[in-house]
């Protein structure tokens, strides 16, 4: 029993040593596995950290790209809005300018129409005045012609009377034979007739000269130039023959000077009431380049 027990013990020790060796090997393997696991954990942690950083960087890059895109979009939208605002402003300015231009053109056309109507009224007034002046001149000429005709009739009547007197003288000569007396009577009648004719001619020439001088003086009084405004002397002629306005009467003072009185206002003046109107009318005609 003793040797068997030692051998079995030895075998048991061997088994134990082998078991211990196996345990140690397993322990080493476990340690190695544990070390490998730690390394894998560390690598995994490193990988996770690296992956997280990369993801963070990718996310930040993506976010930055998104922000850039959004900023670009906002800038583009702002540019579009600004462009539309400028376009609206340009349209509004153009519409305002167009409206102002239309109003200006309308005002200019209205002003031109007013000027045209004023010129037409002025021309119409001038034509009426010229027609009235022509009618007045015609009336004066007819009156002068009637006066001349009356003078001619008077001269013819006197001539007829002279001829009758001559015939009577001839008859008287036949009765008493006094030829020299008849010749003296005839000569006296002829001389008287000639003197009357000459006096009538001188009177007519004197009247024409006085009228012309009065017209020139009155034209100068109205502001006209005797040399340059002769074509407007008809205004002075009308002024000289213009009737008094309603309510005005003509009088003479103690010195024989003519003055005019307005019974409505009680005002007296030595100037014809129409002088200011004719002066203003001449000024308008002159200002229009006529």
């Amino acid at each position: 029993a003793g040797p068997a027990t030692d051998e079995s013990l030895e075998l048991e020790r061997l088994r134990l040593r082998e078991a211990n060796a196996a345990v140690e090997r397993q322990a080493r393997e476990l340690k190695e596995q544990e070390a490998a696991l730690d390394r894998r954990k560390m690598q995994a942690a490193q990988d996770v950290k690296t992956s997280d950083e990369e993801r963070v960087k990718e996310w930040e890059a993506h976010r930055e790209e998104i922000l850039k895109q959004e900023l670009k979009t906002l800038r583009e939208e702002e540019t579009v809005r600004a462009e539309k605002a400028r376009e609206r402003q340009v349209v509004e300015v153009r519409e305002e300018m167009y409206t102002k231009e239309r109003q200006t053109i309308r005002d200019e056309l209205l002003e031109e129409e007013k000027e045209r109507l004023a010129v037409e009224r002025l021309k119409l007034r001038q034509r009426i005045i010229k027609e009235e002046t022509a009618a007045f001149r015609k009336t004066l000429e007819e009156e002068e012609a009637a006066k001349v005709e009356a003078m001619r009739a008077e001269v013819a009547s006197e001539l007829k009377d002279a001829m009758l007197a001559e015939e009577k003288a001839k008859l008287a000569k036949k009765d008493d034979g006094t030829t020299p007396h008849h010749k003296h009577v005839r000569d006296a009648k002829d001389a008287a007739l000639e003197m009357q004719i000459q006096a009538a001619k001188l009177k007519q020439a004197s009247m024409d000269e006085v009228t012309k001088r009065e017209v020139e003086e009155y034209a100068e009084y109205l502001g006209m130039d005797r040399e340059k405004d002769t074509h407007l002397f008809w205004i002075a002629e009308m002024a000289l023959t213009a009737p008094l306005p309603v309510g005005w009467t003509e009088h003479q003072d103690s010195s024989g000077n003519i003055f005019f009185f307005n019974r409505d206002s009680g005002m007296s003046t030595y100037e014809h009431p129409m002088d200011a109107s004719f002066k203003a009318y001449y000024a308008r005609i002159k200002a229009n380049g006529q």
Side-chain angles (χ1 to χ4, degrees):
T5 302
D6 292 335
E7 185 178 355
S8 59
L9 289 171
E10 188 66 27
L11 287 173
E12 187 66 28
R13 289 190 189 100
L14 181 63
R15 283 195 299 270
L16 287 173
R17 283 194 298 268
E18 289 177 355
N20 289 331
V23 170
E24 290 177 357
R25 283 195 304 272
Q26 289 178 355
R28 285 195 301 271
E29 289 177 0
L30 287 174
K31 287 181 179 180
E32 290 176 358
Q33 291 178 359
E34 188 175 327
L37 182 61
D38 290 339
R39 286 194 298 271
R40 284 197 298 272
K41 286 181 179 180
M42 291 177 65
Q43 184 65 36
Q46 186 68 28
D47 292 341
V48 169
K49 183 178 180 181
T50 303
S51 178
D52 290 341
E53 290 177 355
E54 290 178 355
R55 283 198 297 271
V56 169
K57 289 181 179 179
E58 289 178 358
W59 181 79
E60 289 178 350
H62 180 67
R63 182 180 179 185
E64 184 177 358
E65 184 67 24
I66 291 174
L67 290 175
K68 288 181 179 179
Q69 188 66 31
E70 290 179 353
L71 181 60
K72 181 180 179 181
T73 303
L74 289 174
R75 287 177 178 175
E76 290 176 353
E77 291 177 354
E78 183 64 25
T79 303
V80 172
R81 284 196 296 271
E83 186 67 25
K84 289 182 179 180
R86 282 195 296 271
E87 290 178 358
R88 286 196 302 270
Q89 188 175 5
V90 169
V91 171
E92 290 175 357
V93 171
R94 286 179 178 175
E95 290 179 353
E96 184 178 358
M97 290 177 63
Y98 178 68
T99 302
K100 289 182 178 179
E101 187 175 358
R102 286 180 57 189
Q103 185 63 35
T104 302
I105 293 174
R106 188 181 296 111
D107 294 340
E108 290 177 354
L109 291 175
L110 182 61
E111 190 65 25
E112 290 177 358
E113 184 66 16
K114 289 181 180 179
E115 291 179 358
R116 186 183 66 81
L117 292 175
V119 171
E120 288 183 357
R121 284 196 297 269
L122 182 60
K123 289 181 178 180
L124 178 61
R125 188 178 302 171
Q126 290 176 356
R127 185 168 65 250
I128 292 173
I129 292 174
K130 286 182 179 179
E131 290 175 355
E132 291 178 351
T133 302
F136 183 72
R137 286 178 177 174
K138 184 177 180 181
T139 302
L140 287 179
E141 290 174 357
E142 290 176 353
E143 291 178 356
E144 292 297 327
K147 290 179 181 179
V148 172
E149 190 63 30
M151 291 177 65
R152 288 178 179 176
E154 184 179 355
V155 171
S157 177
E158 292 179 356
L159 181 60
K160 183 178 179 180
D161 292 341
M163 292 176 66
L164 290 175
E166 185 179 357
E167 290 297 328
K168 290 180 180 179
K170 286 181 179 180
L171 293 175
K173 177 180 174 297
K174 289 180 180 180
D175 293 338
D176 56 13
T178 57
T179 303
H181 176 71
H182 169 67
K183 183 177 181 181
H184 176 71
V185 171
R186 184 180 63 185
D187 292 341
K189 291 291 185 180
D190 290 342
L193 180 60
E194 184 67 22
M195 288 178 65
Q196 290 178 354
I197 292 174
Q198 292 297 329
K201 290 181 179 180
L202 289 173
K203 182 179 179 181
Q204 182 65 32
S206 177
M207 290 177 61
D208 292 341
E209 184 64 26
V210 170
T211 302
K212 181 180 179 181
R213 186 170 63 253
E214 288 179 350
V215 169
E216 290 178 351
E217 291 176 353
Y218 207 76
E220 190 173 8
Y221 168 72
L222 292 176
M224 300 184 196
D225 189 286
R226 290 196 179 192
E227 301 296 333
K228 299 179 181 179
D229 295 330
T230 54
H231 61 292
L232 298 176
F233 278 9
W234 55 270
I235 300 176
E237 294 178 6
M238 285 194 64
L240 280 171
T241 58
L244 289 171
V246 177
W248 288 88
T249 53
E250 183 178 333
H251 305 276
Q252 281 187 347
D253 59 13
S254 58
S255 300
N257 298 316
I258 300 297
F259 71 93
F260 304 94
F261 175 74
N262 189 313
R263 62 173 178 268
D264 296 329
S265 64
M267 183 180 69
S268 298
T269 177
Y270 284 97
E271 293 185 356
H272 194 284
M274 294 298 293
D275 283 353
S277 299
F278 281 105
K279 286 180 180 179
Y281 180 69
Y282 161 71
R284 288 197 301 271
I285 295 293
K286 192 68 176 177
N288 288 328
Q290 299 187 10

